[in-house]
Amino acid sequence: MRWKIEDNPEQAAFRAEVVAWLWEALPDGWAKAVETGDDEAFDHTKTSSKWDFMSWMATIGKSGYAAPLWPKEYGGLSGQPWMQPIIREELARYRLPTFGINLLGVGLAAPTIIEHGSDAQKERYLAKILTGEEIWCQLFSEPGSGSDLASLSTRAVADGDEWVVNGQKVWTTLAQFAHYGMLLARTNPDVPKHEGLTYFILDMHAPGVEVRPLKQMTGSSEFNEVFFNDVRIPDSARVGAVGDGWRCARTTLMNERTTLAGISLDPVSIFGGTRKDPWTTFVDSIPNRQDPIIRQRIAQFYIEQEVKEITAFRANSARMRGQQPGPEGAVNKVFNAEFNQRRSAFAMNAAGIGSVAWDKGSHLAESRATTFLRARANTIEGGTSEVLRNQIAERILGLSRDVEVDKGSSWADTRRN
Ligand SMILES: Cc1cc2nc3c(=O)[nH]c(=O)nc-3n(C[C@H](O)[C@H](O)[C@H](O)COP(=O)(O)OP(=O)(O)OC[C@H]3O[C@@H](n4cnc5c(N)ncnc54)[C@H](O)[C@@H]3O)c2cc1C
């Protein structure tokens, strides 16, 4: 960790507590191998202990360290904002996932339930989100509504103490594995678009929910189309008041941005258990790295990577001092997304023909191509770079607001695609 936050005594004590817990919770030999830099011993421990990602999620999920800011009674530590960066630093140091597979549950659904949900909902859902027992997805975007999310068309109509839902979502990450979804639906078409929305918890296995995986150009199916055909949701699964869905959705979206700004979508921070850091993987993937021009470019990427880390460091150190981070989240989300695209395109160009054809089983060539293709999504997911630039212009720089052609009209009267 190059950018190290200076701990005060309370923070140093907490860090020591986290490290002591890791030594206890990890398979025998893991922590020692990391501390001594013994990669052979690390690989041996990982293989012989049959360490796996899902059981690690359950272990950390029960410890409180997976969500230090959550209330103790729901599986957190009722802790301080500075605890989060300390835990992430130590997880990364011990080659553990800094984000779990239930990223949308922990990062998006849970904070929304904590802020707007009923006590019964908190009791029912939060602990199982943390341990990864129940995976969540986010049912917001639709074929006609992405950036302009509040224009969405999926309808929920009241029927006794139930709601009947019809419509379609798209881009739904992890829907094929999810137990529950955060569903934003229109309950009143006759008021302005932001006012007619309601937020629900949807059981993804309820009759009438159909999930169709979409195959991406990387070959995997990260996201899905989801169709609702007369799906019934009990009113007890409503989060917040009827018509107050936009306020709840903003909590989800705000948390999504912070989660994605901090995340690096590389396998090391997602899955852990590997000895290589993403930077080494990038440099290794460039075959002609001794070429003087290529070396210059690699050095330039390194400089930009440092700038990015310093910006993330500023946000973290603000949290460590108990302050709210400033515009770093939006700035880093835009920068990170475009940096990933430029860097992965450079690696493909530098590798020449090796980027389009390679020996079977060449992990470096495969990862270079997959990283390049996957990076296309970075400037779209979690809010597009154009929309984030609008927000930076309006909220940070105080420039004039984006045009709102349908301001004041009811949703039913607005033009939609
Ligand atoms: C990998 C991935 C995973 C995703 N996962 C999920 C998920 O799990 N759940 C979910 O609900 N959604 C998910 N999304 C959807 C994502 O939130 C939307 O794709 C995104 O909000 C953009 O919406 P859109 O695709 O409809 O594009 P549009 O909103 O139609 O935008 C099209 C283009 O117009 C530009 N544009 C739009 N409005 C403006 C404006 N006011 N000013 C300037 N330019 C503008 C955009 O920047 C973009 O270039 C995911 C997307 C990706 C790529």
Side-chain angles (χ1 to χ4, degrees):
M1 181 67 52
R2 288 184 308 277
W3 300 99
K4 182 89 181 57
I5 297 162
E6 213 44 63
D7 291 339
N8 65 27
E10 190 187 2
Q11 292 164 346
F14 179 71
R15 189 183 294 276
E17 194 188 292
V18 175
V19 171
W21 177 79
L22 285 172
W23 276 73
E24 189 75 16
L26 282 167
D28 277 351
W30 181 302
K32 185 159 177 233
V34 172
E35 290 284 6
T36 55
D38 186 342
D39 285 337
E40 303 263 310
F42 176 78
D43 287 346
H44 174 73
T45 307
K46 194 188 154 204
T47 317
S48 60
S49 67
K50 299 198 172 71
W51 179 87
D52 83 278
F53 176 83
M54 284 313 285
S55 42
W56 173 250
M57 284 298 115
T59 306
I60 192 168
K62 287 179 193 136
S63 70
Y65 295 123
L69 303 185
W70 292 19
K72 267 197 182 127
E73 64 267 37
Y74 302 127
L77 298 175
S78 300
Q80 304 289 324
W82 52 259
M83 292 177 171
Q84 187 89 64
I86 290 181
I87 294 168
R88 290 223 176 115
E89 277 172 25
E90 295 307 326
L91 291 175
R93 193 156 72 86
Y94 285 93
R95 302 174 187 175
L96 292 161
T98 44
F99 296 93
I101 194 165
N102 207 5
L103 186 67
L104 303 178
V106 178
L108 279 61
T112 311
I113 294 174
I114 289 173
E115 193 165 334
H116 305 283
S118 64
D119 287 345
Q121 288 167 348
K122 290 175 194 169
E123 197 65 51
R124 165 64 189 83
Y125 297 109
L126 294 177
K128 290 191 174 178
I129 287 179
L130 267 193
T131 54
E133 272 171 87
E134 287 175 351
I135 307 290
W136 281 63
C137 65
Q138 179 193 15
L139 297 156
F140 280 18
S141 304
E142 298 185 359
S145 301
S147 302
D148 184 13
L149 180 64
S151 68
L152 62 82
S153 310
T154 292
R155 285 281 277 126
V157 176
D159 181 21
D161 57 3
E162 290 184 324
W163 295 84
V164 182
V165 180
N166 282 286
Q168 186 202 337
K169 298 288 173 177
V170 74
W171 292 110
T172 320
T173 307
L174 292 177
Q176 70 271 51
F177 308 113
H179 301 86
Y180 291 97
M182 304 156 249
L183 171 71
L184 195 58
R186 185 156 306 283
T187 43
N188 185 353
D190 299 319
V191 290
K193 60 185 177 184
H194 294 91
E195 294 166 26
L197 298 167
T198 302
Y199 198 113
F200 299 95
I201 294 170
L202 176 78
D203 175 355
M204 292 297 288
H205 299 120
V209 178
E210 188 192 343
V211 177
R212 293 189 203 157
L214 289 166
K215 191 142 184 168
Q216 295 163 239
M217 59 183 169
T218 51
S220 62
S221 293
E222 259 177 73
F223 44 76
N224 304 264
E225 294 176 297
V226 181
F227 296 85
F228 312 112
N229 197 357
D230 286 335
V231 177
R232 301 189 84 85
I233 305 184
D235 190 52
S236 57
R238 172 168 48 78
V239 178
V242 176
D244 206 20
W246 187 247
R247 203 165 62 93
C248 304
R250 279 176 61 114
T251 304
T252 310
L253 294 171
M254 218 178 60
N255 280 284
E256 178 176 30
R257 225 133 276 171
T258 335
T259 304
L260 288 184
I263 195 175
S264 134
L265 281 170
D266 60 74
V268 179
S269 52
I270 301 270
F271 297 111
T274 156
R275 42 163 131 153
K276 281 208 168 155
D277 68 80
W279 181 255
T280 316
T281 311
F282 165 66
V283 174
D284 286 354
S285 76
I286 299 166
N288 43 351
R289 51 191 175 271
Q290 298 312 334
D291 177 290
I293 304 289
I294 302 277
R295 280 158 49 92
Q296 290 284 313
R297 295 286 307 278
I298 294 176
Q300 178 60 31
F301 281 117
Y302 182 77
I303 292 168
E304 293 183 39
Q305 165 94 7
E306 289 292 284
V307 171
K308 193 181 84 164
E309 287 206 8
I310 294 168
T311 311
F313 172 76
R314 277 179 51 203
N316 279 346
S317 53
R319 273 191 206 103
M320 296 282 275
R321 291 192 304 273
Q323 297 167 357
Q324 283 297 319
E328 297 89 355
V331 171
N332 243 12
K333 161 77 176 67
V334 173
F335 183 80
N336 203 11
E338 295 174 5
F339 176 72
N340 273 346
Q341 291 183 350
R342 276 187 290 116
R343 200 176 67 158
S344 56
F346 160 75
M348 293 290 275
N349 283 331
I353 193 70
S355 299
V356 283
W358 54 83
D359 287 336
K360 202 168 178 206
S362 166
H363 293 305
L364 270 182
E366 209 174 294
S367 120
R368 186 174 52 222
T370 314
T371 307
F372 168 72
L373 294 174
R374 179 60 182 77
R376 308 317 303 164
N378 293 162
T379 46
I380 307 171
E381 60 201 337
T384 69
S385 291
E386 290 81 3
V387 167
L388 282 171
R389 282 195 167 86
N390 274 345
Q391 288 179 9
I392 291 171
E394 289 169 20
R395 293 183 202 162
I396 300 169
L397 303 176
L399 300 181
S400 56
R401 285 187 64 81
D402 196 17
V403 190
E404 288 175 274
V405 283
D406 50 13
K407 198 169 181 193
S409 319
S410 75
W411 175 83
D413 291 336
T414 54
R415 283 160 60 110
R416 293 179 300 279
N417 55 17

